Each structure stands twice: as structure tokens, then as C-alpha cells.
Amino acid sequence: MKILLLPLDERPCNYLFPQMIGQSSNKVELLVPGKSILGDKKRPADTTMIAGFLRENLDGCTNLIISIDTLVYGGLIPSRLHYLTMQEAFSRLEVLKELKALDKDIKIYAFNCIMRTPQYDSSDEEPDYYAEYGFALFRRKYLLDYQERHGLNETEAAELSAISIPDEVIKDYETRRDFNTEINLEVIKYLERGIIDFLVFPQDDSSPYGYTALSQKRVIDAVKKAVLDFKVMIYPGADEVALSLLARAYNEFYDLEPSFYPYYASILGPTIVPLFEDRPMYESLKSHLRACRAKLALSPDKADFILAINSPGKAVQDTYDEEFDISYSSYRNLIDFCYQIRDFLNEGRKVALCDSAFCNGGDFQLIRYLDELNVLDKLCSYAGWNTNCNTLGTTLAQACFGANLPNLLYRIIEDVCYQADVRHDIINNDLEGLGLEDDDVSAKLAEVELLIKEKLAVSYSALNISRKHPVVIEEVYLPWGRMFEVGMELG
């Protein structure tokens, strides 16, 4: 099968990870545009050249996986910053009609983000005013929505009345949100007409109340009105969706529907609502499985895969947090979880490990335990990066494509050695001396990248698996000139 992918942006998670997973099978040929026509953070991709790339490479493809945000706005970040007219946006969508007309049998899987509402003050990925009013914008609408649905107590009402945001800021932000929601609704019409075959609306940085929840409701209402419930998925996530749709295309083409039995590290795990998400972990799991054309198994014996989910004890914390809640130890038994993984593997079962105890990095203690039990390299899939749903979608997609040792080692080095170890080490001990902040190291980019490369080699070498599977870290790069995400080339 031959798949043409238009990614969400140029970062490794959206550009490199799909290629890594696609290369796990010799049954798949994956085409992606060159980085030269994609954007660079706030600089949008060349949408005219993208449309041309899709036309020129359509021949012989069985599937198109299309980021609507890239097709229309030129990328994820530009989708929040653009000054397009609705006519311009609609005209960019029309290339989908043209592609479907050229090949009526091709399957088009599309995804279009419901615009996020970050819960902090930063204009790094948002309009400039978000640096001053970001949290206030989020909190104001959160409280207004909560008030509408449940009412506010005296403390909440006082908090709402104290929030002060210039009218022009509110107007601009809400105009942008309304515009993007209108694109969401227009894309549903493409699904209704049969131009798009399957559609995902991921929610980046979602919350049960406020702007994102209200946008989600409008989208859900439109889907239900059009009776398209079986062709649309709406759930938390974003940067992993291309991987999920890649797995879906693979499973559908080869008529597969793999089953996964979820085994959680804690009794409360299935009920925990992770950071930056709006629903319990178990509910997100159902959506992510179906997006991949996979399903739940109700017992290990009926499963193709064991999905070991490293949930926290009571609540997800950030790897940036200086102290971790005692419930990480008292409300889960991590050693028992690791023993059970070992036993599943010793029984000959395929185990995929979704490491969601923390956001923004894997659980180093978990990896150390599995390393000590000498089973780390026996996993068929592992991920532990960014949010729970980013991790979940990545883990499932790799499992669907099959075990791949180089990809497994890459994930361990990035998600654990970098995100949970080296990144914090450099932020806490090196950046100040270099006169840098973690959100912008561009002034001494090469120096920081070399430092990361050296410290990653040390971090990985501390694991037993490094002696059994030595890895040369040939290159390290920071795609957006900040410490948050990293790209690597391993040898």
C-alpha cells in the first residue's frame, strides 16, 4: 500500500515519527512533503506548493492522511495566528474535492484540530497578547461556562468579576476561535459528501469547561445532526493523530482489527483525568483504539496485545515538578506493575507500554525497573512523551505496525533520557550560566545541542540495555530553538 501524508507541522513528532513507524513494515510506502515547503513554527507552510505536492504524488496511492490545519493555515501554530478570509480558507479546502475527483477510490483520512486554549501566559505559540492575558482568557471563559451550567459560589463569582481583559483582546481571540470552528464545521460537510472518508477532531490542551469545550459542543452537534457518528472521532490529542490514522489505514487495507487488553499500574488509573485533557484515561483509550481501527479485549487471553498503562496513583504531574505527590508510591505499586509486565512477556505475550504517569516525559523509575528485570528490549512498543494521549496514540500505532528495536531505543532515549532527565539537568544547571532561558536557546543553539548530545550519551549508558544495544547519538537538534522538543539521529 502507498500512503501520502500531509503532516501537522515540521517538528519530529509530526514529521519524523510517522516515517519511523511507517518504516516498521515493508508493506507500506509512505510519502511526505519535503521540509522546504513546510513551515517553521509561526511561519506558515507554502499552501500553494503543498496543494501541488498532493496533486503530483496522488498516483498509485491507496490513502491520503491530511492535516486540515496545514492544508488551510500552513500548520498548527499558524492556525492560531492567521489573517485569512473565510473565502481564502474555503478555497484551500477545495483541493480535497479535486483529489477525490482524480481518484474516487482513494481513502482520505483527515484531521482538524479544535483550537486549544492554553492555561498559562505565553505568546510562544499564541497571539502576542497571550503573554499577558493568556491565563485570564482561559479562566474567564472557564468560569462563564461553569456559571452557565452549574452556577458559581461566592469565591468563584468574585474571581470572575476581578478578571480584567481589554475588550479588543477578547474580541480578537473570540473572532479567531469562531473562524476556526467554522472551518471545523465546513470539514464535516466534506465528510458528509463522501470526499473525506474518516475524520478526527483532536483537542490540544483541552478542558471540561471554557472555549475548547464550547467549540467541541458545536462540532459534536453538527456531527450528530449529519448522522456521521461512526465516521468521526473527537478526543484529546493532536501531535499523535497522524500516527493513529497511519495505523488505521494499515489495519483497514490489510483487514486487521487488533485487540488490546489494558493493564493499569494503579487501581484509580482508568478514572484519572490527565493534565491538559478533559476526560478519564479509560475513555480516551476507547477513542484512540477505534481511531486506529483496533478494539478493547476484556481479558488477556482474548487480546493480541497487552497494553500496559503506567498510570499515576491519583493524579498526573509534570516531570518539571520539583516534588512528586506521595500517591505515586502509596496509590500504585510500580514494582508489581513491572513484575506483571515481565510475566506477560515470559508467557509469550506482546506487550505495548504506554507511559502516562507524568506529562512531558517518561517515568525514569519505571524504565530502571524494567531494565533491571532485563525485559526492556522485549517490549513491542513504548512511548512516554508530552500528554497522555500523545503517548497513547504513539504506543498503539507502533504496536499495530509491529515491534521495531531502533524505534524502541529512540523512544527510550528521547522520552526518558532527554525529556525526564537531560532536559531538566540542563535547564537547572547550565542555561543560566549560558545566559539563556529554556524557551529560547537560539543565541547559542549549537552549543546547547552539543551539550544535549553529550549528556544523552551519559544518561543512556547508565542503563543496562545500552550494553546489549549500544547506540551512537549522531546528531541532536532543537527544531524550534527551545528545550521543549528535540530531534535526533541515532546510529
Side-chain angles (χ1 to χ4, degrees):
M1 66 182 303
K2 185 177 178 182
I3 301 173
L4 184 56
L5 167 66
L6 179 61
L8 185 56
D9 61 36
E10 76 287 358
R11 287 174 297 160
C13 58
N14 291 311
Y15 190 78
L16 177 62
F17 294 1
Q19 295 180 69
M20 291 170 60
I21 289 179
Q23 290 165 1
S24 299
S25 171
N26 58 14
K27 298 179 180 179
V28 175
E29 180 183 356
L30 180 65
L31 300 177
V32 296
K35 281 190 177 181
S36 61
I37 67 173
L38 295 177
D40 183 10
K41 198 176 182 180
K42 291 187 174 183
R43 178 179 63 79
D46 187 326
T47 55
T48 300
M49 291 188 70
I50 282 172
F53 170 82
L54 295 173
R55 294 187 194 99
E56 292 163 10
N57 290 277
L58 182 70
D59 187 47
C61 288
T62 54
N63 296 82
L64 296 184
I65 299 174
I66 301 289
S67 164
I68 299 296
D69 295 284
T70 301
L71 186 68
V72 172
Y73 309 110
L76 178 62
I77 308 305
S79 74
R80 307 164 191 157
L81 305 172
H82 67 89
Y83 290 94
L84 294 174
T85 65
M86 195 62 71
Q87 183 178 358
E88 289 172 326
F90 281 8
S91 68
R92 292 178 182 182
L93 270 179
E94 289 184 353
V95 71
L96 295 177
K97 297 179 184 177
E98 181 183 346
L99 296 172
K100 195 71 168 184
L102 288 170
D103 185 350
K104 62 181 177 58
D105 294 323
I106 198 164
K107 297 286 187 181
I108 300 180
Y109 299 158
F111 59 109
N112 185 200
C113 292
I114 294 176
M115 185 174 166
R116 75 173 191 168
T117 313
Q119 304 175 29
Y120 48 78
D121 294 335
S122 172
S123 60
D124 187 45
E125 300 180 17
E126 315 298 326
D128 290 344
Y129 52 73
Y130 222 88
E132 184 174 356
Y133 299 108
F135 178 74
L137 283 164
F138 162 77
R139 189 63 178 165
R140 171 184 170 273
K141 198 63 174 182
Y142 183 102
L143 290 170
L144 286 171
D145 187 19
Y146 195 93
Q147 181 180 48
E148 178 72 19
R149 292 198 245 172
H150 309 295
L152 300 178
N153 60 35
E154 187 174 325
T155 301
E156 292 164 339
E159 180 187 359
L160 178 59
S161 65
I163 295 174
S164 177
I165 308 171
D167 290 343
E168 61 269 22
V169 169
I170 295 174
K171 181 179 179 181
D172 181 83
Y173 189 67
E174 293 189 346
T175 299
R176 291 179 181 279
R177 294 201 63 87
D178 289 341
F179 187 106
N180 285 25
T181 303
E182 287 302 318
I183 297 299
N184 295 150
L185 300 177
E186 182 68 14
V187 172
I188 292 171
K189 296 177 184 176
Y190 276 65
L191 181 68
E192 191 173 12
R193 297 171 194 152
I195 297 166
I196 293 172
D197 296 277
F198 187 78
L199 180 59
V200 173
F201 288 110
Q203 298 176 183
D204 189 14
D205 280 13
S206 53
S207 171
Y209 299 93
Y211 284 117
T212 305
L214 292 167
S215 297
Q216 180 198 85
K217 185 178 185 307
R218 289 185 64 189
V219 171
I220 290 172
D221 289 346
V223 169
K224 290 189 179 302
K225 184 177 180 180
V227 197
L228 292 169
D229 307 63
F230 282 87
K231 293 185 177 183
V232 181
M233 302 292 296
I234 304 170
Y235 55 78
D239 292 324
E240 83 298 328
V241 178
L243 307 179
S244 301
L245 293 181
L246 193 60
R248 183 182 189 85
Y250 179 84
N251 285 333
E252 186 175 81
F253 185 85
Y254 292 107
D255 195 23
L256 304 171
E257 192 177 19
S259 56
F260 289 78
Y261 174 74
Y263 181 77
Y264 288 84
S266 64
I267 192 69
L268 295 181
T271 70
I272 292 170
V273 178
L275 289 174
F276 312 118
E277 298 178 11
D278 67 347
R279 64 197 68 185
M281 296 177 85
Y282 196 73
E283 294 307 314
S284 290
L285 171 61
K286 296 174 186 175
S287 295
H288 278 260
L289 284 168
R290 293 299 178 182
C292 292
R293 200 178 189 258
K295 62 184 179 181
L296 280 172
L298 299 181
S299 72
D301 293 336
K302 295 182 178 180
D304 297 307
F305 298 92
I306 303 298
L307 180 64
I309 300 175
N310 183 31
S311 51
K314 289 175 66 176
V316 175
Q317 289 186 246
D318 198 307
T319 56
Y320 281 105
D321 293 345
E322 292 183 4
E323 294 185 7
F324 299 130
D325 190 86
I326 191 64
S327 63
Y328 269 93
S329 298
S330 61
Y331 272 63
R332 70 170 184 168
N333 189 320
L334 191 58
I335 287 180
D336 181 77
F337 180 64
C338 292
Y339 273 134
Q340 186 61 65
I341 289 174
R342 182 200 63 180
D343 292 346
F344 281 135
L345 289 167
N346 287 343
E347 292 168 6
R349 301 183 189 275
K350 297 176 182 178
V351 178
L353 177 53
C354 173
D355 189 357
S356 291
F358 301 95
C359 69
N360 296 322
D363 188 340
F364 220 131
Q365 191 174 37
L366 167 74
I367 297 303
R368 286 195 185 106
Y369 287 166
L370 293 173
D371 189 48
E372 189 172 336
L373 292 172
N374 196 34
V375 296
L376 195 50
D377 62 343
K378 295 179 173 62
L379 298 171
C380 72
S381 178
Y382 169 81
W385 65 282
N386 210 12
T387 67
N388 165 62
C389 282
N390 292 152
T391 286
L392 180 58
T394 308
T395 305
L396 292 173
Q398 183 66 71
C400 288
F401 270 77
N404 182 296
L405 182 61
N407 288 357
L408 177 67
L409 299 178
Y410 187 104
R411 295 255 60 87
I412 291 168
I413 294 171
E414 183 191 314
D415 301 357
V416 184
C417 295
Y418 178 70
Q419 293 197 28
D421 183 21
V422 169
R423 180 175 61 178
H424 301 296
D425 179 19
I426 292 175
I427 289 173
N428 293 330
N429 300 309
D430 298 296
L431 290 190
E432 185 176 355
L434 294 169
L436 301 170
E437 299 286 341
D438 68 289
D439 60 355
D440 186 4
V441 298
S442 54
K444 297 181 179 179
L445 186 61
E447 187 174 350
V448 174
E449 290 173 341
L450 178 59
L451 185 61
I452 293 170
K453 179 179 175 181
E454 293 170 347
K455 291 197 174 191
L456 275 180
V458 173
S459 182
Y460 180 64
S461 68
L463 296 172
N464 295 325
I465 194 176
S466 68
R467 286 173 282 286
K468 187 176 181 182
H469 303 289
V471 171
V472 176
I473 302 170
E474 296 180 343
E475 182 185 355
V476 166
Y477 58 96
L478 300 174
W480 283 358
R482 63 186 188 183
M483 296 294 294
F484 187 72
E485 55 267 293
V486 70
M488 304 182 300
E489 289 187 12
L490 305 182

